[in-house]
């Protein structure tokens, strides 16, 4: 479905919200029940009947009910708006705030949304030219910019007479990492303290490599707060720590350590989602994981007709799995690029990579079977269209090199690269040794993960070419991927220490 076409009956939810907002604009108290007579021209080729209007009234009313429930749980008084701040304005972070703006932005007295990104990032000439083409191809976007008196600056940028900034264009609804998919206009704040100091809910969309330093700064701003905010992390990267015992550090744990916000107030949301497709209202689902007090009402609050959010108590394990699939997505891209999209080769790779992921999941989770569906779904989508698979393909074709770094212009951070290093370091520790299936001796777990080893040599050590990923698949001494799974499923394999302090998982 196209932008603005998530229909209830024959009426677009977004169109109805806009119509409601305009028809209610003269109301001093913003009562959303006063503007329904203004919605008439919505059904293509005809007019709207009473039943269709009632569908839309119920949909928007239910959205307002969900907002009211979150406000109630946070103790918000009438007239005190719920403040939601996005931290990080990559594709997923920008889309997430834009979705909330589309769903709740017309309820201005009840909710305020803003997004933080650093100031000063310039939009280069090539991106300005592409953006100009996108604007002129979309009549709705063109008209919006003209109404906002914002079109001329894009003409000047196209001609090379002006340099735009990423925060500037985001205010008009353009994410620097997703220029082909315009969003709604957003309130953009470039001062971090201003963005977060009084926020009730913070959406973390920073790469894992940036999460700790930014939230350490945020923690200083919150030292005098009487109540702690709710934080929902969208980040899917991980770090490894080897002391006092080898364990994984996830973004929610980084946030907890940096801010001292109780872990019960920090949640993770992930799922098989491609940002642009979500904003274009392709059907999708996600899971929000964390304490029961917040995950259930937040699941309802974030849910939309095209975006179903489930809830789950297993915070850290789901978060780690979100980082793990990025590792193997890079390898999938490499195989696709090296074999001219050979379906057979990709199938062989999928068999091996899923067996490695299952092997690692059994190390991390006491009940790994519960993660199989979410992990495979997220992996499948990322292999098909995610930025990590795209990166792997570009490296395989020689269009990018590992020594260029993992921050790629127009794409943002390739989080799978740091995750390769984290998982390799962690699984190389002798203290985690498992029995080798053929050599019958204890070995570090990474010895049973040839794809992970190959990716480490290619991306981190930079001592091997991308062809090493194919060599790992073609190794005549390797064994059936089934054997790796059997090793993981036999005996006492689970290593609870890998996930850090189990007290952090309490509901």
């Amino acid at each position: 479905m196209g932008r603005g076409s998530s229909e209830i009956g024959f009426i677009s939810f977004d169109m109805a919200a806009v119509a409601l907002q305009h028809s209610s604009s003269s109301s001093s108290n913003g009562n959303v029940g006063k503007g329904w007579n203004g919605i008439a021209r919505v059904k293509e080729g005809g007019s709207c009947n009473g039943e269709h209007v009632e569908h839309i009234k119920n949909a928007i009313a239910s959205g307002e009910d969900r907002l009211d429930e979150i406000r109630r749980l946070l103790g918000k008084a009438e007239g005190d708006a719920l403040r939601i701040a996005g931290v990080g304005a990559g594709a997923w972070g920008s889309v997430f705030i834009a979705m909330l703006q589309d769903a709740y932005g017309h309820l201005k007295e009840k909710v305020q949304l803003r997004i933080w990104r650093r100031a000063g990032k310039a939009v280069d000439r090539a991106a300005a030219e592409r953006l100009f083409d996108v604007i002129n191809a979309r009549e709705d976007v063109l008209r919006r910019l003209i109404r906002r008196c914002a079109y001329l600056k894009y003409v000047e940028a196209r001609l090379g007479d002006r340099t735009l900034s990423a925060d500037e264009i985001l205010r008009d609804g353009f994410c620097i990492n997703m220029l082909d998919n315009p969003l709604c206009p957003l309130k953009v704040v470039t001062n971090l303290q201003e963005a977060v100091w009084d926020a009730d809910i913070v959406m973390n969309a920073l790469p894992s490599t940036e999460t700790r330093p930014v939230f350490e700064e945020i923690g200083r701003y919150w030292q005098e707060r009487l109540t702690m905010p709710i934080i929902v992390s969208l980040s899917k990267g991980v770090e490894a720590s080897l002391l006092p015992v080898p364990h994984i550090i996830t973004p929610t744990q980084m946030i907890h350590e940096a801010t001292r916000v109780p872990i019960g107030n920090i949640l993770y949301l992930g799922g098989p989602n491609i940002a642009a497709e979500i904003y274009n209202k392709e059907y999708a689902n996600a899971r929000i994981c964390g304490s029961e007090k917040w995950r259930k009402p937040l699941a309802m609050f974030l849910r939309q007709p095209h975006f179903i959010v489930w809830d789950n108590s297993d915070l850290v394990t789901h978060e780690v799995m979100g980082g793990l699939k990025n590792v193997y997505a890079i390898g999938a891209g490499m195989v696709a690029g090296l074999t001219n999209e050979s379906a057979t080769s990709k199938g062989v790779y999928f068999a091996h990579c899923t067996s490695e992921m299952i092997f690692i999941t059994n190390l991390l989770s006491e009940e790994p079977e519960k993660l199989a569906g979410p992990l495979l779904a997220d992996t499948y989508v990322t292999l098909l269209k995610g930025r990590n698979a795209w990166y792997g393909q570009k490296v395989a074709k020689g269009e990018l090199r590992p020594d260029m770094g993992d921050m790629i212009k127009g794409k943002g951070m390739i989080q799978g690269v740091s995750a390769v290093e984290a998982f390799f370091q962690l699984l190389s520790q002798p203290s985690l040794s498992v029995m080798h299936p053929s050599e019958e001796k204890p070995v570090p777990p990474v010895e049973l993960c040839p794809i992970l080893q190959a990716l480490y040599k290619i991306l981190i050590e930079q001592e091997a070419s991308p062809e090493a990923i194919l060599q790992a698949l073609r190794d005549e001494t390797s064994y059936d991927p089934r054997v790796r799974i059997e090793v993981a499923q036999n005996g006492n394999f689970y290593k609870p220490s890998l996930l850090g302090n189990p007290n952090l998982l309490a509901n």
Side-chain angles (χ1 to χ4, degrees):
M1 291 182 287
R3 173 76 183 95
S5 63
S6 178
E7 296 185 347
I8 305 173
F10 289 94
I11 310 177
S12 160
F13 184 91
D14 291 347
M15 291 171 63
V18 171
L20 175 61
Q21 179 180 343
H22 285 293
S23 59
S24 304
S25 59
S26 62
S27 171
S28 61
N29 63 5
N31 187 328
V32 296
K34 291 187 175 181
W36 289 104
N37 291 334
I39 302 177
R41 187 172 49 83
V42 287
K43 179 181 176 183
E44 185 177 355
S47 61
C48 174
N49 61 34
E51 181 182 353
H52 297 138
V53 169
E54 196 62 33
H55 279 311
I56 292 300
K57 287 178 67 175
N58 291 338
I60 293 184
S62 65
E64 187 171 6
D65 289 344
R66 295 196 295 267
L67 174 58
D68 287 341
E69 176 62 11
I70 287 290
R71 287 175 50 83
R72 183 189 68 79
L73 290 171
L74 286 166
K76 303 297 290 185
E78 186 174 354
D80 183 14
L82 176 71
R83 296 173 180 86
I84 302 176
V87 176
W92 188 214
S94 298
V95 161
F96 212 90
I97 294 298
M99 285 199 304
L100 294 176
Q101 180 67 37
D102 283 342
Y104 298 109
H106 60 289
L107 301 169
K108 297 181 185 298
E109 293 192 358
K110 292 189 174 185
V111 64
Q112 296 175 3
L113 295 116
R114 54 186 180 254
I115 186 168
W116 172 80
R117 74 156 296 131
R118 293 182 178 90
K121 181 179 176 63
V123 178
D124 64 28
R125 180 74 180 273
E129 292 175 356
R130 178 59 192 156
L131 188 52
F132 186 75
D133 292 340
V134 169
I135 290 168
N136 286 288
R138 288 277 299 269
E139 182 179 344
D140 58 330
V141 175
L142 180 61
R143 289 182 179 278
R144 184 180 79 198
L145 291 175
I146 292 172
R147 285 196 303 269
R148 291 165 59 91
C149 300
Y151 180 65
L152 182 58
K153 64 185 178 185
Y154 293 96
V155 177
E156 294 173 341
R158 169 65 178 81
L159 296 174
D161 296 336
R162 176 173 180 163
T163 300
L164 299 168
S165 67
D167 55 285
E168 181 182 12
I169 66 172
L170 188 58
R171 291 184 177 92
D172 293 326
F174 305 107
C175 173
I176 189 67
N177 295 338
M178 200 176 62
L179 294 178
D180 290 343
N181 293 271
L183 310 174
C184 62
L186 298 174
K187 180 178 180 180
V188 180
V189 179
T190 56
N191 181 292
L192 183 59
Q193 183 174 9
E194 178 186 349
V196 304
W197 74 275
D198 63 346
D200 301 297
I201 299 174
V202 174
M203 311 296 301
N204 170 45
L206 295 165
S208 60
T209 50
E210 296 182 21
T211 294
R212 188 185 297 276
V214 171
F215 274 88
E216 284 175 348
E217 183 178 348
I218 291 173
R220 293 194 289 272
Y221 304 143
W222 286 347
Q223 287 179 358
E224 305 301 321
R225 283 189 67 140
L226 298 178
T227 59
M228 287 292 104
I230 305 303
I231 302 172
V232 179
S233 181
L234 310 176
S235 180
K236 292 185 175 181
V238 296
E239 292 181 359
S241 177
L242 305 182
L243 297 173
V245 295
H247 64 281
I248 289 173
I249 303 175
T250 65
T252 59
Q253 292 169 332
M254 298 175 202
I255 293 168
H256 169 70
E257 293 171 3
T259 63
R260 309 318 300 174
V261 169
I263 196 67
N265 281 33
I266 306 175
L267 303 97
Y268 164 73
L269 185 140
N273 303 318
I274 301 297
E277 294 184 355
I278 302 302
Y279 195 70
N280 288 332
K281 293 187 166 37
E282 300 294 342
Y283 178 78
N285 57 65
R287 280 177 174 79
I288 188 165
C289 306
S291 67
E292 184 171 3
K293 177 182 179 181
W294 293 114
R295 70 176 189 263
K296 292 183 179 295
L298 280 169
M300 292 303 298
F301 174 65
L302 298 173
R303 175 176 290 210
Q304 298 189 30
H306 71 287
F307 185 67
I308 305 304
V309 181
W310 297 314
D311 69 278
N312 191 286
S313 62
D314 194 343
L315 168 63
V316 176
T317 313
H318 276 84
E319 196 175 11
V320 171
M321 294 303 103
L324 182 61
K325 55 89 181 177
N326 287 334
V327 168
Y328 291 96
I330 293 176
M334 289 181 178
V335 171
L338 292 168
T339 65
N340 195 28
E341 299 285 353
S342 163
T344 301
S345 295
K346 289 191 288 186
V348 171
Y349 177 82
F350 191 73
H352 281 274
C353 84
T354 52
S355 74
E356 286 192 23
M357 286 192 290
I358 292 169
F359 175 81
I360 295 171
T361 302
N362 275 266
L363 281 168
L364 297 170
S365 177
E366 192 171 15
E367 299 178 301
E369 65 278 357
K370 293 184 178 180
L371 297 169
L375 175 58
L376 287 176
D378 209 355
T379 301
Y380 179 70
V381 168
T382 306
L383 265 57
L384 284 177
K385 207 170 181 180
R387 77 178 69 177
N388 289 279
W390 172 90
Y391 173 78
Q393 193 161 24
K394 293 294 184 182
V395 169
K397 292 180 176 181
E399 297 173 22
L400 291 173
R401 299 189 315 274
D403 61 6
M404 293 177 174
D406 51 7
M407 179 62 76
I408 307 299
K409 185 174 70 174
K411 287 290 184 179
M413 180 67 72
I414 307 300
Q415 296 197 82
V417 176
S418 61
V420 167
E421 184 171 19
F423 279 107
F424 183 90
Q425 289 180 347
L426 194 70
L427 300 179
S428 296
Q429 301 309 303
S431 61
L432 302 175
S433 291
V434 299
M435 191 62 65
H436 194 284
S438 59
E439 298 178 10
E440 297 185 355
K441 67 178 183 179
V443 296
V446 76
E447 293 295 322
L448 301 185
C449 300
I451 293 175
L452 179 57
Q453 293 181 63
L455 290 170
Y456 186 81
K457 291 176 182 177
I458 297 166
L459 300 173
I460 309 304
E461 294 182 331
Q462 298 177 17
E463 295 179 352
S465 69
E467 283 76 11
I469 200 78
L470 295 182
Q471 294 169 7
L473 300 180
R474 295 167 178 167
D475 185 357
E476 294 183 2
T477 65
S478 65
Y479 40 83
D480 190 325
R482 171 184 56 83
V483 175
R484 187 179 296 109
I485 297 173
E486 290 176 350
V487 170
Q489 293 177 339
N490 290 332
N492 186 16
F493 201 69
Y494 170 49
K495 309 286 187 183
S497 62
L498 284 174
L499 295 183
N501 184 357
N503 293 330
L504 294 181
L505 306 180
N507 286 343

